[in-house]
């Protein structure tokens, strides 16, 4: 098996990030996160990533329909407090899924594309995928068009669709993150710019500064400091965190949607796609799809037919993931705070590697269609929050 093909580049100067307001990328916390290399892919590989993302999103929707029809939300580990909100948003096309990100093994170095999971609710790494890697090409005198990356344009198109689906609602959207997460703020900054280009008035408030009323809706200060009602609210806060930690807010948000006082993004139904439990139903429904891995909810006992990975339903950033060999012995484990959750058991997919033995995982953003590619790499098979981001070019 061949190794990843790479191309060295010069790093972007810190002044670029300061001008963008993305100080996180030059902070001590992010040291080493951006690399001085690009992954080189061919046009055929680019096209395969595009086709896989589009096909698999259709599969997710079909699996979602099966889950809703058969009342299987509980089987995905979704708290019952979210079930009504999920059903209401699923049945109402005005609640548009803006964007998500597929995590793939393979797709390069001669390896087939395999779906690891889909980040449907709060996908991050937007700035580096949409802007930073594009700027890397420009700064290194590489044709900016030689990249699978139209993420920003795709997001603008999604916000335009959101307006069209809600013609009677004022195009004004409030964006929120959890306080103390500067990388999340950078992601939201990019989303705000796309919304503005699509014709939305936008504002930002940390979630603890937002006022929620089951009678009158969602309120926060506008640019002049006046408290106003916002007809659209985007929160880069996981739905499961709201359900687990803020049950009263979960109830109020359900009432807000029931009364049609706001559209909440990404919609609650993205929990169906976010739960790794859906990987089992994707495999059951589409076992012949070449990008899907055999997945079960039943833990293999003793010898297995293949090496496998154990993942909790709502783990993040590689937490509570374990890799087992074909006799059931753990070969790599990441602990975390989600150990009480149920798990799926997914066949182990081979990750592409470079000459130094580093592992690569592809991330493909989806916003109405597959629209952008970036890579994460690590010395370890389990890609966690310590992994680097590596851009790409198409040759």
């Amino acid at each position: 098996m061949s190794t990843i093909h790479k191309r060295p580049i010069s790093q972007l100067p810190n002044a670029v990030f300061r001008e963008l307001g993305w100080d996180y990328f030059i902070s001590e916390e992010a040291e080493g996160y951006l690399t001085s290399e690009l992954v080189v892919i061919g046009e055929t590989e680019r096209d395969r990533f595009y086709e896989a993302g589009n096909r698999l999103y259709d599969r997710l929707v079909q699996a979602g329909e099966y889950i809703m029809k058969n009342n299987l939300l509980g089987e995905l580990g979704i708290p019952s407090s979210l079930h009504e909100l999920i059903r209401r948003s699923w049945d109402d096309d005005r609640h548009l899924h803006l964007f998500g990100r597929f995590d793939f093994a393979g797709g390069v170095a001669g390896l087939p594309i395999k779906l690891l999971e889909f980040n449907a609710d709060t996908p991050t790494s937007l700035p580096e995928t949409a802007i930073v890697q594009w700027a890397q090409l420009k700064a290194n005198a590489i044709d900016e068009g030689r990249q699978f990356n139209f993420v920003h344009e795709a997001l603008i198109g999604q916000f335009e669709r959101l307006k069209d689906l809600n013609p009677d609602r004022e195009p004004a959207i409030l964006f929120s993150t959890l306080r103390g997460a500067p990388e999340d703020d950078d992601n939201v900054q990019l989303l705000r710019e796309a919304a503005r280009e699509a014709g939305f008035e936008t504002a930002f408030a940390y979630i603890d500064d937002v006022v929620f009323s089951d009678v009158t809706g969602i309120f926060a200060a506008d640019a002049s400091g006046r408290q106003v009602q916002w007809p659209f609210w985007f929160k880069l806060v996981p739905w499961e965190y709201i359900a687990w930690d803020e049950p009263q807010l979960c109830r109020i948000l359900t009432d807000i949607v029931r009364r049609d006082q706001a559209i909440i993004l990404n919609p609650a139904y993205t929990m169906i796609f976010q739960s790794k439990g859906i990987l089992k139903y994707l495999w059951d429904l589409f076992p012949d799809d070449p990008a899907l891995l055999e997945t079960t909810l039943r833990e293999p006992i003793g010898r297995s037919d293949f090496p496998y990975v154990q993942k909790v339903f709502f783990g993040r950033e590689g937490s509570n993931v374990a890799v087992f060999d074909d006799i059931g012995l753990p070969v790599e484990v990441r602990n975390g705070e989600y150990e009480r959750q149920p798990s799926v058991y997914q066949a182990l997919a081979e990750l592409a590697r470079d000459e130094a033995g580093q592992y690569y995982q592809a991330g493909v953003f989806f916003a109405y269609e597959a629209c952008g590619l970036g890579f994460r790499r690590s010395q370890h098979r389990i890609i966690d929050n310590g992994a680097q981001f590596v851009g790409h070019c198409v040759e």
Side-chain angles (χ1 to χ4, degrees):
M1 187 65 64
S2 60
T3 59
I4 287 267
H5 179 33
K6 297 182 294 183
R7 174 174 179 166
I9 57 169
S10 299
Q11 279 280 20
L12 293 172
N14 289 351
V16 170
F17 297 102
R18 292 195 183 98
E19 183 179 351
L20 290 167
W22 293 344
D23 291 345
Y24 169 76
F25 289 99
I26 54 177
S27 67
E28 184 177 342
E29 182 183 355
E31 185 176 358
Y33 174 59
L34 298 175
T35 67
S36 299
E37 296 175 310
L38 298 174
V39 173
V40 178
I41 68 170
E43 293 183 353
T44 299
E45 291 169 319
R46 174 200 61 197
D47 294 345
R48 286 173 179 162
F49 278 121
Y50 177 75
E51 292 161 0
N54 293 339
R55 184 183 73 252
L56 289 170
Y57 192 83
D58 286 343
R59 301 282 202 220
L60 282 164
V61 172
Q62 292 176 67
E65 291 172 346
Y66 175 85
I67 286 161
M68 294 298 288
K69 180 179 178 181
N70 291 280
N71 298 313
L72 296 172
L73 293 177
E75 300 299 310
L76 298 184
I78 297 173
S80 59
S81 57
L82 276 171
H83 289 190
E84 179 185 347
L85 190 50
I86 287 171
R87 292 190 184 97
R88 286 184 177 276
S89 59
W90 180 267
D91 291 335
D92 189 341
D93 289 342
R94 296 175 302 164
H95 296 259
L96 179 69
H97 183 198
L98 281 175
F99 73 108
R101 191 193 74 238
F102 289 99
D103 286 345
F104 289 131
V108 290
L111 294 173
I113 294 172
K114 295 294 182 181
L115 174 64
L116 301 177
E117 59 191 68
F118 183 54
N119 303 278
D121 178 18
T122 56
T124 54
S125 73
L126 268 177
E128 46 268 61
T129 304
I131 305 298
V132 172
Q133 64 172 342
W134 170 85
Q136 288 174 332
L137 296 193
K138 189 176 179 71
N140 285 271
I142 304 170
D143 178 4
E144 304 98 278
R146 304 304 296 174
Q147 200 170 79
F148 174 26
N149 178 13
F150 56 98
V151 175
H152 189 64
E153 294 80 3
L155 288 171
I156 294 170
Q158 284 292 77
F159 282 110
E160 290 172 343
R161 291 182 187 93
L162 184 64
K163 278 203 316 180
D164 291 343
L165 289 168
N166 293 272
D168 300 328
R169 207 178 296 268
E170 179 187 1
I173 183 167
L174 175 69
F175 291 85
S176 295
T177 64
L178 292 169
R179 197 180 295 273
E183 64 273 30
D184 289 354
D185 297 347
D186 293 343
N187 278 267
V188 160
Q189 180 185 333
L190 190 148
L191 288 166
R192 284 186 68 185
E193 179 57 33
R196 282 193 293 264
E197 291 186 45
F200 277 85
E201 176 189 350
T202 75
F204 174 83
Y206 290 115
I207 190 169
D208 53 288
D209 288 332
V210 181
V211 177
F212 302 95
S213 168
D214 54 1
V215 176
T216 51
I218 297 173
F219 289 81
D222 64 8
S224 67
R226 182 173 57 96
Q227 287 285 332
V228 296
Q229 183 180 8
W230 293 92
F232 295 89
W233 181 50
F234 180 92
K235 87 285 161 305
L236 200 64
V237 179
W239 274 112
E240 68 268 24
Y241 288 10
I242 294 173
W244 294 336
D245 301 334
E246 299 290 343
Q248 183 177 2
L249 176 57
C250 188
R251 178 188 61 77
I252 292 172
L253 293 176
T254 301
D255 288 340
I256 285 171
V257 170
R258 185 190 299 124
R259 295 168 185 257
D260 198 25
Q261 292 164 329
I263 298 291
I264 302 172
L265 305 160
N266 274 316
Y269 67 73
T270 56
M271 283 283 285
I272 299 172
F273 306 152
Q274 183 74 31
S275 170
K276 296 177 187 65
I278 200 171
L279 297 169
K280 181 262 188 192
Y281 292 98
L282 283 171
W283 176 255
D284 288 350
L285 294 168
F286 310 107
D288 297 327
D289 190 298
L292 294 178
L293 294 160
E294 183 172 350
T295 307
T296 178
L297 299 181
R298 213 175 312 171
E299 181 176 7
I301 304 298
R303 177 175 293 277
S304 170
D305 292 333
F306 46 77
Y308 64 92
V309 180
Q310 178 183 1
K311 307 176 183 181
V312 294
F313 280 12
F314 294 106
R316 292 175 179 269
E317 298 180 327
S319 293
N320 302 102
V321 174
V323 180
F324 293 85
D325 63 18
D326 58 4
I327 60 172
L329 296 176
V331 294
E332 190 171 333
V333 177
R334 287 287 182 279
N335 296 319
E337 59 183 305
Y338 309 110
E339 68 275 357
R340 295 181 182 274
Q341 293 185 25
S343 298
V344 295
Y345 303 87
Q346 182 186 55
L348 178 67
E350 186 176 358
L351 296 175
R353 304 180 76 176
D354 61 17
E355 72 287 347
Q358 299 177 103
Y359 294 92
Y360 287 72
Q361 178 178 290
V364 172
F365 275 93
F366 186 93
Y368 186 74
E369 61 183 321
C371 58
L373 169 69
F375 290 89
R376 300 290 300 278
R377 81 175 179 197
S378 173
Q379 297 286 350
H380 307 285
R381 197 193 311 258
I382 298 173
I383 306 295
D384 59 18
N385 59 355
Q388 296 175 303
F389 179 85
V390 189
H392 77 284
C393 64
V394 180
E395 293 184 356

